[in-house]
Amino acid sequence: MTTRSERRSGVKYISTPKGYIIVDENKPKEISPWAQLVKTPKRYVMAMLLLLTLLGEFNSSAFQGLGHLLLAVCSAAALDLGFSFAYKKKIQLPDGGIITGLIIALVLSTSTPAWVTFCTVAVAILSKHLVKVKKKPIFNPATFGLLFSLIVFSSGQSWWGSLSLLPVWLIVFVFVTGYLVTSKVNKFPQVFAFLRVYFAIFTIMSLIGIGDVADALRAPFVNSALFLAFFMVTAPTSPAKYKDQIKFGLIAGAISAVDYLLFGGLAYLLIGLLLANAWKAWKTTNKKVVKKAA
């Protein structure tokens, strides 16, 4: 069989008795170091969290947070790798564990004792690997660990990663980084649903004079709500389908707001998200039961 090469309109062809074969001579596009670094959603989230960390460190009282953050991140990464080794999985960069450590460090007060930070991280990673439905974590690990820490150790939470300790105008960086993360993971319906119902409840209660909601509508509480919406509500433990995303966001936002109005405290955002996680797990389990019955 004879072949012959030709070039037409800049495209190279190889002629054979059975027809033409197009030869793609286009060289692969070079990927920039930044694109290579954030090529996956988890690494993108990691980069945005690190940016908020750098901004948060401008507050002198939060500067001590660097050691606090390193402890949380290294502990989470090591524990995550330990489970991968135990399960005989491929050993690779524990992106999920690092993100969990970052979020815990950015929410806990920088003055939190090291042993409390470590226990918080350990509980978070344990929940990720042991509390599952269909081999997937039920609860957002960082949220689970933070609530456990708050209940058991009465740990302080400053949410300094949301720039709550800095001038109010810097909240724009929370919006920008949060928008980029939400776009990357495709969770806009969920975030909008959460923020809409959350602030709608507080606004209505404020207008009719029911409950003390003034604090919830200003910094640092607004910072905390935005950070949770953009970086924790959007985690892989939330739904992928738009319809379910909206329901998930509404549940998390409504429960968070109502919990604040009824009980106050620091746990309301964490409780709202974890109960939304529980709803998703129930929905997944219920689907499984229905399929078996059918």
Side-chain angles (χ1 to χ4, degrees):
M1 181 178 68
T2 59
T3 61
R4 181 166 53 90
S5 295
E6 296 182 17
R7 183 176 294 275
R8 298 178 185 177
S9 302
V11 179
K12 184 178 179 181
Y13 292 83
I14 295 178
S15 176
T16 71
K18 294 186 177 180
Y20 287 96
I21 299 174
I22 298 176
V23 179
D24 186 4
E25 290 188 320
N26 294 328
K27 295 182 180 179
K29 294 181 180 179
E30 291 185 5
I31 302 175
S32 67
W34 167 253
Q36 188 74 1
L37 181 66
V38 296
K39 63 181 179 180
T40 66
K42 285 185 179 180
R43 293 188 184 180
Y44 197 87
V45 173
M46 202 186 307
M48 295 300 107
L49 288 171
L50 287 172
L51 177 58
L52 290 178
T53 300
L54 292 174
L55 292 170
E57 289 292 345
F58 279 105
N59 182 353
S60 59
S61 65
F63 190 72
Q64 61 182 316
L66 184 58
H68 163 77
L69 183 136
L70 287 173
L71 171 63
V73 170
C74 292
S75 299
L79 290 169
D80 220 15
L81 282 172
F83 273 100
S84 295
F85 182 78
Y87 293 152
K88 297 182 179 179
K89 292 182 178 179
K90 181 181 178 182
I91 303 299
Q92 54 189 359
L93 183 69
D95 297 344
I98 292 173
I99 291 172
T100 296
L102 279 169
I103 291 175
I104 288 175
L106 295 175
V107 172
L108 285 179
S109 169
T110 55
S111 60
T112 303
W115 68 272
V116 173
T117 300
F118 177 79
C119 289
T120 303
V121 168
V123 170
I125 298 300
L126 285 171
S127 75
K128 173 184 175 180
H129 291 280
L130 301 180
V131 187
K132 295 182 176 183
V133 167
K134 297 181 72 174
K135 298 182 179 181
K136 293 184 178 180
I138 294 177
F139 300 111
N140 178 290
T143 308
F144 190 91
L146 287 165
L147 183 60
F148 173 87
S149 182
L150 184 62
I151 294 172
V152 176
F153 305 123
S154 299
S155 58
Q157 295 182 357
S158 64
W159 294 76
W160 63 280
S162 67
L163 311 185
S164 59
L165 305 178
L166 293 171
V168 176
W169 67 269
L170 285 170
I171 199 172
V172 68
F173 287 100
V174 181
F175 271 110
V176 172
T177 55
Y179 176 88
L180 293 173
V181 164
T182 305
S183 176
K184 187 72 173 180
V185 299
N186 195 23
K187 294 288 179 75
F188 277 116
Q190 190 164 269
V191 171
F192 287 152
F194 173 88
L195 294 176
R196 188 180 303 166
V197 70
Y198 179 83
F199 286 112
I201 290 174
F202 284 127
T203 302
I204 292 170
M205 294 298 102
S206 177
L207 291 174
I208 63 180
I210 296 178
D212 183 13
V213 299
D215 286 339
L217 294 174
R218 59 173 176 249
F221 294 94
V222 169
N223 299 60
S224 304
L226 291 174
F227 184 87
L228 180 120
F230 289 130
F231 293 97
M232 298 165 75
V233 171
T234 56
T237 48
S238 61
K241 294 181 180 179
Y242 283 174
K243 183 178 179 181
D244 291 337
Q245 281 190 37
I246 293 171
K247 292 178 181 178
F248 186 93
L250 291 174
I251 291 170
I255 292 176
S256 296
V258 171
D259 187 275
Y260 178 89
L261 291 169
L262 294 177
F263 306 108
L266 298 173
Y268 63 100
L269 289 170
L270 306 176
I271 290 172
L273 178 51
L274 289 177
L275 288 179
N277 286 151
W279 168 80
K280 178 179 177 286
W282 170 82
K283 191 172 184 297
T284 301
T285 305
N286 193 47
K287 276 186 178 179
K288 190 176 180 181
V289 171
V290 171
K291 284 182 180 179
K292 284 185 177 180

